[in-house]
Amino acid sequence: MTDRILPGQGPGTAGPGPDGAGFTYHGAEPELIVVARAEARLRLGAEGVRSASGADTSALSMFLADEQIALEPLFGRAERPARAPQASPREALVDLSLYYRVRGGTERAEELTTRLAALPEIETAYVKPGAVPASLTGRDEEAVERLKEGTPETPNFKGRQGYLNSAPEGVDASWARLRPGGRGEGVTVIDVEGAWQLGHEDLADRLAGIVVGTPVQDLAWRNHGTAVLGVIGGDQDEKGITGIVPEAVTAAASFQGIGTAAAIHAAAERLSAGDIVLVALHRPGPRFDFRDRDDQAGYIPLEWWPDDFAAIRHATARGILVVAAGGNGAESLDDALYERRPDGFPEGWRNPFNPSNRSSGAVLVGAGAPPPGTHGRDHGPDRSRLAFSNYGARLDAQGWGRETTTTGGFWDRPGDLQGGTEEIAWYTDAFSGTSAASPIVAGALASLQGMLKALGQPPMSPERARAILRSTGAPQQDAPGRPASQRIGNRPDIKAAVARLLPSTVGTGQAERYWDELLPYPRELPPRLRLFVAGAWRNLNNPAPELRRAVHTAFAAGRPDVRVWFSDDEVVGLVVAG
């Protein structure tokens, strides 16, 4: 276990806003969760609470009536535990039918936990702080100055989306789009959070809408959800931005009214193996006694709470990938603090951040710095941990935690990149936090799943997806005071992951024709030298000037002797004879 390391000074060390100041999101209510004893076999019906095992539930019924509160099954009215064929005995699933949510009594939640836990049918009860988006919300004066008053015809902002570019700058989404399935065809991603602007002009093509819950009526929440969806599934056209997987189906699930665990479970129930649930939320942890803070210090991933862990574990056991924000609390998740079981947690709870314990199976994402100079700013060395990002052995991968260009406004204001009076045409350059990093990783995984599906291969399991993210990609870099040993993981590289998932043999042949592509299309692609070899065009990205001249000269002489080695449609070796 390691100690928590506080942020330092300089690039990449600022908190949610200038000098660490910030604002938090409002409207997220605490949740009072009850865990029943398995032997009680509680059931709820029109007649109230009863026990399928014949236990006396009169004391519980009287308590609920006297306190004017009600229990509702957190995961629906299943009469028996949900089962997943993929779960091994070591990874035995929690019985979801034991979890209940309390309706009413919010102002007395802490008092009610103790009294509920004393009842014979109840194992324990605990209060969860409200979950909020894991994005940075401080006022950025430079961004505010860029707000646009009118709504002109939307320009093309794709040149600002460096996270789409070739590795190590981006995740190689531009390369993936040229491969069958690489745009996310056949994959569905559901975003679990609070609200979205579903009418946005750049989210029209493949957006399926809200599948569960009621959106939070708050502009900051709406801007956040819109930004997340844009990173993943922004339309591929000549205006605005383009998502990493514009052909993936995206949908939304709000936790308002049902709680985060129920929303995660309900979203997963609508998906098939290989699809993705994204959870770009975090909540106050034990560092500061679970208190809300504007600076988000001490905020941690949702899986630390037993009911959220159970929901995620059931989803991943069904083969659904869950991608979750690692949180903006500047915490070492390896700290011994997280080994201490809170009083209200079940006795069988074990710290999910400790790799020695049972895992939820989710991909946990940290926030890394974008390349210095992105949008004219410097947040530290590329891929170094941003100071607000949580870190530790549990983190699987990182995405851009600053300067993420996407749909939506800036915090609770119009877009800083494009604002105006029409919310459906807002864009931002300032989406930040592990909330910005998580959809980048989710998009990369959706691209990989689409390519596997297009080739008739089985999708990655959650375990396989985490292993691929850890074994490929652009590695984390050191920064002053934030060494790579404070793990947030690699930045995904779709191309490298494909090579690991689908190893191919190397072929060779003589080039018959060539095409020197000086101005590529789409424009975000690198310049390519294309050579027709063995019946197909093969691509060499960013050819060296001397190599380009040698190929030109060979073909101009009329008797070219250009030997090419290739893997799939990529040139891996080239020799010009003579």
Side-chain angles (χ1 to χ4, degrees):
M1 297 298 170
T2 61
D3 293 329
R4 179 172 181 261
I5 299 176
L6 296 175
Q9 302 295 321
T13 60
D19 302 318
F23 307 90
T24 193
Y25 290 81
H26 302 288
E29 296 292 334
E31 298 177 49
L32 175 50
I33 305 298
V34 169
V35 185
R37 295 189 182 279
E39 59 272 20
R41 297 175 61 193
L42 291 186
R43 300 290 183 264
L44 296 182
E47 70 281 9
V49 182
R50 64 180 180 85
S51 167
S53 63
D56 182 5
T57 61
S58 58
L60 174 58
S61 298
M62 186 178 300
F63 177 83
L64 296 175
D66 289 347
E67 298 296 334
Q68 297 184 335
I69 59 176
L71 296 182
E72 61 179 25
L74 188 58
F75 299 112
R77 298 182 179 276
E79 291 297 310
R80 59 181 60 86
R83 300 186 184 276
Q86 296 94 331
S88 66
R90 180 181 177 275
E91 297 288 343
L93 301 180
V94 177
D95 182 350
L96 296 187
S97 69
L98 302 180
Y99 285 87
Y100 294 83
R101 191 168 186 258
V102 175
R103 287 284 190 187
T106 304
E107 69 284 353
R108 298 175 289 123
E110 293 293 346
E111 172 198 346
L112 289 173
T113 58
T114 303
R115 298 175 64 190
L116 281 162
L119 294 167
E121 299 87 3
I122 304 302
E123 178 184 351
T124 191
Y126 56 89
V127 176
K128 298 188 334 185
V132 297
S135 70
L136 305 183
T137 58
R139 184 179 179 88
D140 185 325
E141 297 299 337
E142 181 182 338
V144 172
E145 289 175 5
R146 298 203 305 268
L147 300 182
K148 301 176 73 172
E149 292 301 324
T151 306
E153 183 177 347
T154 300
N156 190 324
F157 298 129
K158 296 179 186 65
R160 307 182 71 85
Q161 292 181 269
Y163 57 89
L164 300 178
N165 294 343
S166 300
E169 177 185 5
V171 299
D172 261 325
S174 298
W175 174 87
R177 285 194 199 128
L178 301 178
R179 273 70 193 167
R183 294 185 297 170
E185 292 91 334
V187 180
T188 300
V189 183
I190 298 182
D191 177 35
V192 175
E193 50 173 293
W196 309 262
Q197 174 48 264
L198 300 180
H200 196 282
E201 65 176 10
D202 231 347
L203 298 176
D205 287 353
R206 304 289 289 167
L207 182 60
I210 297 172
V211 298
V212 69
T214 304
V216 178
Q217 295 303 309
D218 180 82
L219 179 57
W221 280 90
R222 200 157 61 243
N223 277 337
H224 179 273
T226 307
V228 167
L229 290 180
V231 172
I232 298 169
D235 297 344
Q236 186 166 3
D237 51 34
E238 289 305 310
K239 71 174 184 301
I241 58 94
T242 296
I244 295 173
V245 280
E247 291 299 319
V249 173
T250 53
S254 177
F255 65 81
Q256 182 172 245
I258 60 174
T260 54
I264 292 167
H265 180 66
E269 288 296 294
R270 287 159 171 79
L271 297 175
S272 301
D275 289 332
I276 298 173
V277 170
L278 174 62
V279 186
L281 300 166
H282 61 179
R283 60 164 55 94
R287 175 70 62 188
F288 299 105
D289 197 27
F290 306 101
R291 293 194 299 270
D292 293 338
R293 295 173 59 98
D294 284 351
D295 63 3
Q296 302 180 359
Y299 281 42
I300 59 174
L302 268 58
E303 69 172 37
W304 197 70
W305 282 266
D307 56 315
D308 289 302
F309 178 94
I312 294 169
R313 179 72 194 111
H314 273 258
T316 57
R318 291 183 50 233
I320 293 161
L321 306 190
V322 177
V323 179
N328 301 342
E331 288 285 302
S332 167
L333 301 184
D334 297 332
D335 196 293
L337 170 68
Y338 298 106
E339 295 291 336
R340 302 172 196 159
R341 179 174 63 87
D343 290 341
F345 281 15
E347 289 186 6
W349 175 87
R350 297 292 182 271
N351 173 22
F353 303 154
N354 185 338
S356 299
N357 295 331
R358 184 174 59 178
S359 172
S360 71
V363 172
L364 216 57
V365 180
T374 300
H375 305 155
R377 299 175 182 174
D378 183 357
H379 300 283
D382 185 27
R383 306 186 307 283
S384 61
R385 182 182 74 86
L386 292 166
F388 61 79
S389 178
N390 292 338
Y391 60 94
R394 177 65 184 86
L395 274 289
D396 294 299
Q398 64 163 293
W400 281 28
R402 292 282 193 186
E403 308 299 333
T404 306
T405 302
T406 184
T407 46
F410 174 75
W411 172 222
D412 61 353
R413 302 169 180 84
D416 53 287
L417 187 57
Q418 176 165 286
T421 58
E422 295 294 332
E423 187 180 330
I424 62 171
W426 289 355
Y427 294 84
T428 180
D429 259 344
F431 192 37
S432 303
T434 51
S435 274
S438 300
I440 290 175
V441 173
L445 290 172
S447 178
L448 291 169
Q449 298 288 57
M451 282 188 270
L452 288 170
K453 187 166 188 173
L455 292 170
Q457 300 291 317
M460 289 183 291
S461 67
E463 183 179 18
R464 180 65 168 150
R466 293 179 64 198
I468 287 292
L469 291 171
R470 286 173 173 259
S471 61
T472 64
Q476 181 180 346
Q477 302 296 301
D478 291 326
R482 304 188 309 281
S485 58
Q486 296 175 7
R487 177 184 172 83
I488 58 172
N490 301 337
R491 179 181 294 160
D493 179 347
I494 297 172
K495 185 176 179 181
V498 168
R500 185 65 58 88
L501 286 166
L502 299 167
S504 57
T505 59
V506 175
T508 187
Q510 198 83 8
E512 302 172 35
R513 302 191 297 277
Y514 83 104
W515 177 9
D516 197 352
E517 192 174 59
L518 300 176
L519 186 63
Y521 184 84
R523 283 172 284 184
E524 60 264 26
L525 292 176
R528 294 181 296 177
L529 180 63
R530 309 191 71 196
L531 298 153
F532 194 81
V533 184
W537 287 100
R538 319 290 177 177
N539 304 312
L540 179 63
N541 291 336
N542 295 308
E546 57 272 20
L547 182 59
R548 176 184 285 128
R549 286 194 297 269
V551 172
H552 284 206
T553 301
F555 276 90
R559 293 193 302 173
D561 187 5
V562 181
R563 174 67 60 176
V564 178
W565 286 261
F566 57 88
S567 176
D568 191 15
D569 61 353
E570 296 292 314
V571 173
V572 297
L574 187 151
V575 173
V576 181

